[in-house]
Amino acid sequence: MLQPSDFQQRRTQLARRMKKNSIALIASAPVRIRNGDVEFPYRQHSDFFYLTGFDEPEAVAVLAPGREQGEFILFCREFDPEKALWTGHHAGLEGARETFGADEAFPIAELDKRLPELLENRDRVYFPIGRDQALDLKVMAAVNQVRSRARTGVQAPYEFVAIEHLLHEQRLLKTPAELALVRKAVEVSVLAHGRAMRACRPGRYEYEIEAELLHEFTLHGLRAPAYPCIVASGHNACVLHYTANDRRLEDGDLLLIDAGAECGNYAADITRTFPVNGKFTESQRLIYELVLEAQTAALETVRPGRRWIEPHDAAVRVLTEGLVRLGILQGKTAKLIKDGSYKKFYMHRTGHWLGLDVHDAGAYKVGGKWRELVPGMLLTVEPGLYIAPDCADVEPRWRGIGVRIEDDVLVTPDGCEVLTAALPKQVADIEAWMAG
Ligand code: GLY
Ligand code: MN
Ligand code: MN
């Protein structure tokens, strides 16, 4: 569990990194209507959550370093007993102060009235420019109000900075408290994948396997997947973001499952590919072992001092060499890499940052160069091969095979830790698990 002091530390860290005489503000995610008067399950915006821990809509957080009456101001919904009766607890102004550590809390309806005063005599405003049109308009309206009073001696802010520029760098390095949540999401996701593997057999449907995953997540109190489950059998595995999950599993198919639970808003993101009937065919095994070899090579490059791109480059090299070896690509490896021929079978990147968002915040390049890995960074390593079912220029035995293997990896002082290591991925281990 993250404590109020964790969020306080994050705000302090942000305030320290803001230029002098600045103010920052950020808005919660809106409620989205599903249909009629039914709402989608609410998920707080990750940046807003990161700074506040506040899980309600209709809120704006303001960070005003040096402000006498308090630096952290939260605008939110007032407590409404009638609303509490229908939809349950909400913090109200008192909760904003007492539970969430706001120095001052005001009703969200007072934002327009109070914002000009907060912006007065600040040089710079950090906010998520362009993310939320309503917030953009409110900030500009408030700035114009301050400007209109210039003759009284107040100064309006004259610089506007995307808050993400600072915030996302902060989010990139995970603290032990954050990693505890990721580990929990991973632990439950590993159980769910294990359960799904054992539940798998010809004649069942992809959605039945999805149900096994969601069942295990929910049993452990993790009520939402971090992203829609991909349960892709046969050549559905070649559709990278397949989510229809409605096909019957056939004898001889591979099944690719890409699924991860969310814990305290932190994501796990795991993929395993295995045979529906418990035994890889020769062709499936050759492709699978090639992807596994690529993943092993990629993982070896995840350590402090190496660059972001190195796992990808390592995976591409191994995959391309292997595709030549199997006769799926023809030519010299170096040339096939240079001209991008491998992209016909490997069209995505080897990973991404992981955290509050499954594709987490943080730049991949700094100053035009791929960023150096440092301890505390969390990423996925997920090479794959996808041979389209209608790919006429490969032998029929390879067509329609799609394989991805994805693990969640923490950069540590002396290398890396594969958080998802408990889930089988060697051919023999998968076959043994499925038979068990
Ligand atoms: N599950 C999305 C991804 O692997 O990036
Ligand atoms: Mn991923
Ligand atoms: Mn994934």
Side-chain angles (χ1 to χ4, degrees), residues 227 230 240-241 256-260 268-271 352 358-359 380 382 404 406 408:
Y227 54 92
I230 297 171
L240 296 180
H241 289 166
L256 181 157
I257 296 182
D258 183 346
D269 181 9
I270 309 179
T271 307
H352 49 82
V358 64
H359 294 172
T380 67
E382 50 174 309
R404 176 163 66 254
E406 174 173 34
D408 301 344

Side-chain angles (χ1 to χ4, degrees), residues 224-374:
Y227 54 92
C229 298
I230 297 171
V231 183
S233 64
H235 49 65
N236 286 340
C238 298
V239 180
L240 296 180
H241 289 166
Y242 175 80
T243 52
N245 298 356
D246 58 0
R247 180 177 170 275
R248 186 175 188 270
L249 310 182
E250 302 296 342
D251 201 6
D253 281 346
L254 284 179
L255 183 65
L256 181 157
I257 296 182
D258 183 346
E262 193 174 75
C263 177
N265 287 343
Y266 284 81
D269 181 9
I270 309 179
T271 307
R272 288 293 184 268
T273 310
F274 55 90
V276 161
N277 63 14
K279 279 269 172 220
F280 285 88
T281 66
E282 175 73 0
S283 308
Q284 290 168 346
R285 189 178 56 75
L286 287 167
I287 298 294
Y288 184 89
E289 288 192 322
L290 176 52
V291 175
L292 189 56
E293 185 192 336
Q295 204 216 21
T296 306
L299 285 168
E300 273 163 17
T301 69
V302 179
R303 50 193 312 116
R306 306 297 286 264
R307 302 230 166 235
W308 166 260
I309 198 66
E310 293 188 53
H312 182 65
D313 287 344
V316 165
R317 197 179 53 253
V318 170
L319 290 173
T320 309
E321 281 167 5
L323 288 170
V324 171
R325 207 163 60 227
L326 296 175
I328 295 172
L329 278 176
Q330 287 84 32
K332 290 245 181 302
T333 303
K335 179 172 178 297
L336 295 169
I337 292 174
K338 196 153 181 254
D339 68 15
S341 301
Y342 68 89
K343 289 184 184 165
K344 183 168 180 184
F345 306 109
Y346 183 42
M347 57 296 277
H348 61 76
R349 289 284 171 152
T350 303
H352 49 82
W353 305 127
L354 181 69
L356 280 169
D357 292 319
V358 64
H359 294 172
D360 206 35
Y364 291 94
K365 273 191 173 178
V366 178
K369 285 180 80 176
W370 293 108
R371 121 172 277 154
E372 235 178 66
L373 300 178
V374 303

Side-chain angles (χ1 to χ4, degrees), residues 23-26 125-130 132 135-137 139-140 160-164:
I23 189 166
L25 56 102
I26 187 157
V125 188
Y126 291 86
F127 76 108
I129 300 170
D132 174 346
L135 187 70
D136 291 353
L137 290 173
V139 173
M140 290 310 146
F160 301 90
V161 184
I163 192 170
E164 292 88 345

Side-chain angles (χ1 to χ4, degrees), residues 61-104:
V62 179
L63 195 57
R67 182 171 173 271
E68 262 177 38
Q69 310 91 307
E71 300 190 340
F72 173 36
I73 305 119
L74 196 54
F75 291 86
C76 63
R77 301 184 305 195
E78 288 179 272
F79 185 77
D80 174 357
E82 170 94 1
K83 187 174 174 56
L85 181 69
W86 284 89
T87 56
H89 184 73
H90 47 286
L93 304 183
E94 202 180 303
R97 285 188 300 265
E98 282 172 13
T99 312
F100 295 93
D103 297 308
E104 286 194 292

Side-chain angles (χ1 to χ4, degrees), residues 357-421:
D357 292 319
V358 64
H359 294 172
D360 206 35
Y364 291 94
K365 273 191 173 178
V366 178
K369 285 180 80 176
W370 293 108
R371 121 172 277 154
E372 235 178 66
L373 300 178
V374 303
M377 289 176 173
L378 183 66
L379 59 142
T380 67
V381 177
E382 50 174 309
L385 281 175
Y386 313 90
I387 304 169
D390 59 354
C391 185
D393 45 1
V394 302
E395 282 178 64
R397 65 187 295 215
W398 308 119
R399 291 178 201 161
I401 295 181
V403 171
R404 176 163 66 254
I405 306 171
E406 174 173 34
D407 283 300
D408 301 344
V409 185
L410 174 67
V411 183
T412 60
D414 41 72
C416 70
E417 180 189 349
V418 180
L419 304 183
T420 41

Side-chain angles (χ1 to χ4, degrees), residues 36-295:
D37 58 357
V38 176
E39 297 168 357
F40 277 106
Y42 186 68
R43 168 56 158 79
Q44 187 55 278
H45 191 280
S46 296
D47 284 337
F48 185 88
F49 180 81
Y50 178 84
L51 282 182
T52 64
F54 195 68
D55 230 350
E56 295 179 30
E58 296 187 83
V60 169
V62 179
L63 195 57
R67 182 171 173 271
E68 262 177 38
Q69 310 91 307
E71 300 190 340
F72 173 36
I73 305 119
L74 196 54
F75 291 86
C76 63
R77 301 184 305 195
E78 288 179 272
F79 185 77
D80 174 357
E82 170 94 1
K83 187 174 174 56
L85 181 69
W86 284 89
T87 56
H89 184 73
H90 47 286
L93 304 183
E94 202 180 303
R97 285 188 300 265
E98 282 172 13
T99 312
F100 295 93
D103 297 308
E104 286 194 292
F106 300 111
I108 186 70
E110 291 182 16
L111 180 66
D112 293 349
K113 187 178 85 187
R114 293 184 181 271
L115 199 49
E117 189 193 319
L118 289 165
L119 299 183
E120 256 179 41
N121 297 325
R122 300 268 170 182
D123 297 339
R124 201 169 294 94
V125 188
Y126 291 86
F127 76 108
I129 300 170
R131 192 188 88 209
D132 174 346
Q133 231 173 31
L135 187 70
D136 291 353
L137 290 173
K138 280 182 194 298
V139 173
M140 290 310 146
V143 169
N144 280 331
Q145 268 208 42
V146 183
R147 282 177 181 153
S148 72
R149 288 189 284 113
R151 276 182 297 273
T152 67
V154 294
Q155 186 218 287
Y158 54 85
E159 262 183 36
F160 301 90
V161 184
I163 192 170
E164 292 88 345
H165 187 66
L166 293 184
L167 208 49
H168 289 183
E169 284 302 292
Q170 234 174 285
R171 280 178 53 187
L172 186 54
L173 295 182
K174 273 63 180 180
T175 63
E178 289 180 289
L179 290 170
L181 294 168
V182 172
R183 284 178 197 280
K184 177 76 185 172
V186 162
E187 183 192 320
V188 172
S189 304
V190 165
L191 290 173
H193 274 262
R195 178 189 181 108
M197 275 184 198
R198 282 203 168 154
C200 202
R201 67 189 88 85
R204 296 200 79 187
Y205 280 79
E206 291 167 346
Y207 51 74
E208 293 181 64
I209 307 306
E210 180 180 20
E212 301 286 346
L213 296 161
L214 297 175
H215 179 85
E216 194 71 28
F217 293 172
T218 310
L219 266 184
H220 290 86
L222 307 190
R223 305 270 315 284
Y227 54 92
C229 298
I230 297 171
V231 183
S233 64
H235 49 65
N236 286 340
C238 298
V239 180
L240 296 180
H241 289 166
Y242 175 80
T243 52
N245 298 356
D246 58 0
R247 180 177 170 275
R248 186 175 188 270
L249 310 182
E250 302 296 342
D251 201 6
D253 281 346
L254 284 179
L255 183 65
L256 181 157
I257 296 182
D258 183 346
E262 193 174 75
C263 177
N265 287 343
Y266 284 81
D269 181 9
I270 309 179
T271 307
R272 288 293 184 268
T273 310
F274 55 90
V276 161
N277 63 14
K279 279 269 172 220
F280 285 88
T281 66
E282 175 73 0
S283 308
Q284 290 168 346
R285 189 178 56 75
L286 287 167
I287 298 294
Y288 184 89
E289 288 192 322
L290 176 52
V291 175
L292 189 56
E293 185 192 336
Q295 204 216 21

